[in-house]
Amino acid sequence: PVGKLWSDDLVKQDNAILIHSTFKDNPFVPLEQKKKILSYEPTEYNIQQNTASDYMWQVYGLGLKAEKPNRIFKNWKVMTDMEFDSLPYSVYYGMDFGLSAPSTLVAMKFDGDETFFFKELLYKPMNQMNGTLSDELHNLGIDKKLELVCDSSNDINKTEGQKLINSGFNVIFALKGKGSVVAGIELLQKKKVLYTSSSTNLEQEYENHSWRVVQGVQLDEPEQGNDHLLDAMKYVSSWYARINYLT
């Protein structure tokens, strides 16, 4: 991806040296793998063979950062936590449940026109929590009176949501069904989106979230996996858009 990598902070340390090498510098690269990488280079021959790929050559051939051509979200902006906290708009919460995958929580604000603002609050699997999920939200100071829009895709998620209801939280189950995932994506694509600088996991998901590609054909469905915070964002923004008739 074009965004920040784990190594970016490491190379800033005084005792670190940055060495940029490629597959051509590695004498142990298998011949077939080397041929495969060379086939990505946008030469006239590779273009004719339909193997050329600017993205694959940038990443695997040149060892550089590059933007995935099937990336879903672009042009989001970063704001400070203080700027988010000082926004004079109502706050709402979105949550995605995860036992071994991260359970995530985002705070959302909307300016009444065209801009969503998000702040990452939680990114932790439930099996790594010392107490209950309700305890985690309590420790974060989540106001129980405010709307908390949660995943409802299966019985386990509904059970976790019911536990939060029993603890006094104002849980609203997200509407799920055919087309809801793409509709949630399209909403965020149409609006301006800002997220806080502390939302590091959100940023990583944003930069890598991509449409599925099968045999060179881009499908109208996202890749599954690293989208836990993005799902929470889609739940709460889609709910807000529905009750406020946003288009």
Side-chain angles (χ1 to χ4, degrees):
V2 295
K4 185 176 180 180
L5 300 176
W6 65 270
S7 58
D8 290 345
D9 290 330
L10 185 65
V11 299
K12 296 176 183 178
Q13 299 179 12
D14 294 337
N15 61 346
I17 298 176
L18 175 63
I19 300 174
H20 181 196
S21 61
T22 72
F23 72 104
K24 293 181 179 180
D25 301 303
N26 184 354
F28 302 105
V29 175
L31 180 59
E32 288 303 313
Q33 185 64 44
K34 186 174 183 180
K35 289 180 179 178
K36 183 69 173 178
I37 296 174
L38 287 171
S39 73
Y40 298 142
E41 186 176 7
T43 63
E44 183 175 347
Y45 175 78
N46 287 341
I47 293 173
Q48 291 175 349
Q49 298 299 309
N50 200 32
T51 62
S53 168
D54 289 332
Y55 171 74
M56 299 291 277
W57 178 246
Q58 284 281 107
V59 174
Y60 297 104
L62 303 180
L64 301 174
K65 292 183 180 181
E67 183 173 291
K68 297 176 72 173
N70 55 328
R71 178 174 171 176
I72 292 176
F73 297 120
K74 300 179 182 179
N75 301 318
W76 290 6
K77 306 299 182 184
V78 179
M79 64 191 307
T80 66
D81 286 55
M82 185 177 296
E83 287 172 330
F84 178 91
D85 295 338
S86 64
L87 289 171
Y89 312 124
S90 299
V91 62
Y92 308 92
Y93 299 105
M95 168 155 269
D96 189 47
F97 300 115
L99 180 60
S100 56
S103 285
T104 61
L105 179 71
V106 294
M108 184 201 80
K109 294 182 179 182
F110 185 68
D111 68 354
D113 183 19
E114 62 176 1
T115 306
F116 283 110
F117 307 90
F118 292 98
K119 181 179 181 179
E120 174 186 332
L121 299 176
L122 178 68
Y123 190 85
K124 183 189 294 186
M126 282 189 283
N127 63 8
Q128 293 182 15
M129 296 178 183
N130 293 325
T132 65
L133 183 57
S134 178
D135 293 334
E136 289 283 340
L137 300 191
H138 176 76
N139 293 337
L140 289 169
I142 303 303
D143 189 336
K144 291 185 176 181
K145 297 189 299 293
L146 299 181
E147 292 86 348
L148 174 60
V149 186
C150 298
D151 187 9
S152 61
S153 58
N154 56 49
D155 290 339
I156 294 176
N157 291 333
K158 291 176 182 177
T159 298
E160 293 302 327
Q162 186 60 51
K163 290 179 182 178
L164 294 178
I165 293 174
N166 296 343
S167 297
F169 289 96
N170 184 14
V171 169
I172 299 171
F173 287 112
L175 288 183
K176 304 296 284 286
K178 185 177 181 180
S180 62
V181 173
V182 173
I185 289 172
E186 290 177 345
L187 173 66
L188 294 178
Q189 287 178 326
K190 289 187 291 186
K191 301 298 183 182
K192 294 180 180 178
V193 175
L194 282 80
Y195 61 91
T196 62
S197 55
S198 65
S199 302
T200 54
N201 295 297
L202 191 160
E203 182 174 68
Q204 196 272 338
E205 291 187 10
Y206 154 65
E207 291 173 346
N208 289 280
H209 200 40
S210 304
W211 297 111
R212 280 190 64 201
V213 175
V214 177
Q215 296 182 342
V217 178
Q218 180 174 299
L219 306 182
D220 193 22
E221 60 181 89
E223 294 176 352
Q224 298 296 310
N226 193 20
D227 54 0
H228 314 290
L229 283 160
L230 292 176
D231 281 346
M233 292 169 59
K234 286 181 281 188
Y235 299 151
V236 64
S237 58
S238 295
W239 165 81
Y240 182 89
R242 186 176 68 257
I243 66 169
N244 289 282
Y245 304 102
L246 298 184
T247 58

